């Protein structure tokens, strides 16, 4: 063994000190960058109706995030969005070169706004690219897909928020508070309906392979309404499917009725449809009631309770949702609606489909 001289010792200490200084400088720089960045760049994946008519306009109102990029398979759309929103060429991607988004520091968040059958793939790819993810509802088609999305985001140390805009709406927060604080005593029964008449005959919502079916779409709103109004998770479900247009709804459900039982004994009667317009929630409690109509619209959600009117103004629901989630990411706090919340719904949706097929109660 060589003798470890005083000179050797001093040289090692000097090198260690230099390395420590460099490491500390890099750490300090990283922290400084994180603090100084006050807005997150969002790339919208899929430029259909929801992105075009709602998310892009909302991103002109946000304070904590902005429209930084787009992902589309349609060159004409890419050119139109580029001109309208002044998006640089380097921030425009298609589905073939999507993974190159990993090398783009302008983009912090990928917002997946695709048919549900594609949610898992693009959430996982975005996570592997090191980007935080906002994913539209329904989170995915199966519990297994939801779990894989959560794992991918956790493994890559990015956050996953589900686009449940209503949970950011102060009107929804109010009836959630009623449930949590038992303002009117125990909730005894909930009735909830979410649906609209869809005249289309060849849309992805009518195709099973793309994630169609009313329960995945409007049904999630009715399910959320019941869960949030009770503050509980159901322990059993029964369900029935109906259609008035079997020539259109061959592979997926047009109208679904489902009934939920909760641990406290509360029951919920819910229905959802692509053939009926409805948007309401009513909860009867031991010492009063609360009712919302509409309860899940893009704007104007309002209601009444035994205490009076429920009507909190909100300028733009989607802008608040994205700002809330961006602020959480910037501060590295917990999300209001993380991937686990989307997973809860899909676990129940799977049980509802099973109950409708079997005609029997399914326990959760």
């Amino acid at each position: 063994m060589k003798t470890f001289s005083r000179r050797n010792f001093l040289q090692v200490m000097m090198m260690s000190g230099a390395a420590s200084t460099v490491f500390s400088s890099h750490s300090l720089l990283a922290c400084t960058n994180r603090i100084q960045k006050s807005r997150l760049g969002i790339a919208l994946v899929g430029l259909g109706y929801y992105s075009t008519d709602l998310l892009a306009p909302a991103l002109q109102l946000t304070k904590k995030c902005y429209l930084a990029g787009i992902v589309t398979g349609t060159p004409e759309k890419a050119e139109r969005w580029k001109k309208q929103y002044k998006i640089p060429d380097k921030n425009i991607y298609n589905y073939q070169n999507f993974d190159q988004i990993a090398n783009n520091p302008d983009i912090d968040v990928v917002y997946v706004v695709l048919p549900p059958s594609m949610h898992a793939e693009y959430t996982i790819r975005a996570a592997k690219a090191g980007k935080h993810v906002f994913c539209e509802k329904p989170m995915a088609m199966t519990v297994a897909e939801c779990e894989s999305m959560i794992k991918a985001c956790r493994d890559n140390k990015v956050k996953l928020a589900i686009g449940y805009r209503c949970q950011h709406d102060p009107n929804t927060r109010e009836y959630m508070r009623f449930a949590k604080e038992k303002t009117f005593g125990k909730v005894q029964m909930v009735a909830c309906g979410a649906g609209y008449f869809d005249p289309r005959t060849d849309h992805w919502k009518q195709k099973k392979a793309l994630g169609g079916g009313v329960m995945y779409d409007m049904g999630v709103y009715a399910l959320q309404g019941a869960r949030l109004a009770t503050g509980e998770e159901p322990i059993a479900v029964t369900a029935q499917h109906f259609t008035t247009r079997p020539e259109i709804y061959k592979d997926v459900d047009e109208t679904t009725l489902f009934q939920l039982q909760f641990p406290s004994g509360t029951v919920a009667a819910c229905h959802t449809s692509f053939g009926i317009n409805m948007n309401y929630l009513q909860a009867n409690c031991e010492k009063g009631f609360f009712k919302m109509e509409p309860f899940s619209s893009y704007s104007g959600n309002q209601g009444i309770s035994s205490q009076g009117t429920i009507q909190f103004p909100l300028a733009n629901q989607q802008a608040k949702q994205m700002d809330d989630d961006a602020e959480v990411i910037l501060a590295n706090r917990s999300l209001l609606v993380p991937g686990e919340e989307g997973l809860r719904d899909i676990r129940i949706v799977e049980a509802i489909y099973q109950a409708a097929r079997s005609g029997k109660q399914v326990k959760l």
Side-chain angles (χ1 to χ4, degrees):
M1 181 181 294
K2 293 183 178 179
T3 303
F4 195 80
S5 67
R6 181 173 179 274
R7 176 177 293 181
N8 296 142
F9 176 77
L10 290 174
Q11 286 176 338
V12 169
M13 290 301 292
M14 288 175 67
M15 290 174 65
S16 298
S20 177
T21 301
V22 171
F23 178 76
S24 298
S25 298
H26 284 178
S27 298
L28 180 62
L29 180 60
C31 290
T32 303
N33 286 343
R34 187 163 60 246
I35 292 169
Q36 286 182 341
K37 189 160 193 177
S38 60
R39 301 174 76 206
L40 298 180
I42 292 183
L44 296 176
V45 184
L47 305 183
Y49 160 75
Y50 196 68
S51 286
T52 301
D53 288 17
L54 293 158
L55 294 179
L59 281 164
Q60 310 313 302
L61 307 173
T62 47
K63 297 177 181 178
K64 296 294 182 179
C65 52
Y66 66 99
L67 179 60
I70 54 174
V71 181
T72 179
T74 308
E76 295 80 7
K77 285 185 180 180
E79 191 62 28
R80 186 165 66 249
W81 280 62
K82 172 185 171 181
K83 291 178 181 177
Q84 183 174 356
Y85 295 109
K86 298 179 174 55
I87 299 172
D89 287 332
K90 66 185 181 66
N91 292 357
I92 298 174
Y93 297 86
N94 55 47
Y95 298 112
Q96 286 69 49
N97 65 14
F98 172 79
D99 299 307
Q100 294 176 20
I101 210 165
N103 305 315
N104 193 334
D106 292 352
I107 295 169
D108 305 290
V109 179
V110 167
Y111 197 147
V112 180
V113 201
L114 295 164
S117 62
M118 303 170 75
H119 286 187
E121 176 187 350
Y122 281 88
T123 293
I124 293 168
R125 288 171 68 179
K128 288 181 177 178
K131 306 301 179 182
H132 300 289
V133 184
F134 297 167
C135 179
E136 258 314 300
K137 65 88 195 156
M139 180 175 175
M141 300 303 299
T142 66
V143 166
E145 286 184 339
C146 293
E147 290 173 340
S148 69
M149 294 159 72
I150 292 169
K151 183 179 186 300
C153 290
R154 183 174 59 244
D155 290 350
N156 289 280
K157 296 180 172 56
V158 296
K159 292 188 181 294
L160 170 59
I162 307 304
Y164 286 135
R165 53 188 171 75
C166 290
Q167 289 204 35
H168 298 263
D169 188 319
N171 296 283
T172 303
R173 304 301 302 175
E174 180 71 349
Y175 75 74
M176 290 174 68
R177 181 181 71 82
F178 293 159
K180 182 179 180 180
E181 298 178 2
K182 292 184 169 48
T183 306
F184 308 115
K186 175 180 171 292
V187 176
Q188 296 174 319
M189 183 173 182
V190 174
C192 191
Y196 67 95
F197 182 81
D198 192 338
R200 294 172 296 194
T201 60
D202 190 30
H203 190 263
W204 66 258
K205 291 184 180 183
Q206 295 152 342
K207 299 177 181 179
K208 186 174 183 178
L210 294 178
V214 73
M215 192 62 226
Y216 280 111
D217 189 54
M218 300 305 292
V220 169
Y221 290 120
L223 175 55
Q224 280 267 307
R227 288 181 54 237
L228 302 181
T230 61
E232 296 185 77
E233 297 301 323
I235 56 174
V237 304
T238 51
Q240 306 82 36
H241 292 322
F242 301 95
T243 182
T244 58
R245 294 175 288 171
E247 70 282 3
I248 299 171
Y249 292 91
K250 302 171 185 177
D251 300 322
V252 299
D253 50 319
E254 178 192 35
T255 298
T256 295
L257 279 61
F258 59 99
Q259 302 79 41
L260 308 173
Q261 292 185 13
F262 294 91
S264 65
T266 301
V267 294
C270 306
H271 53 289
T272 184
S273 180
F274 284 145
I276 308 168
N277 290 312
M278 51 184 162
N279 195 327
Y280 75 92
L281 166 70
Q282 179 160 343
N284 295 327
C285 311
E286 290 175 312
K287 303 174 184 177
F289 75 97
F290 53 93
K291 181 178 181 179
M292 303 290 297
E293 191 168 6
F295 83 101
S296 62
S297 289
Y298 294 146
S299 63
N301 292 322
Q302 60 184 337
I304 189 170
S305 76
S306 298
Q307 290 183 344
T309 302
I310 304 169
Q311 191 170 24
F312 295 91
L314 180 59
N316 187 287
Q317 204 177 61
Q318 285 81 5
K320 187 174 192 317
Q321 168 204 327
M322 290 187 284
D323 263 346
D324 285 353
D325 289 338
E327 186 173 9
V328 161
I329 291 171
L330 287 164
N332 195 26
R333 299 197 308 266
S334 297
L335 290 160
L336 180 64
V337 191
E340 287 76 8
E341 176 72 349
L343 169 61
R344 291 184 195 105
D345 277 341
I346 296 305
R347 182 171 283 119
I348 301 166
V349 169
E350 284 193 343
I352 288 169
Y353 277 119
Q354 182 184 345
R357 286 193 302 268
S358 68
K360 299 178 181 178
Q361 184 186 72
V362 174
K363 295 186 182 300
L364 293 157

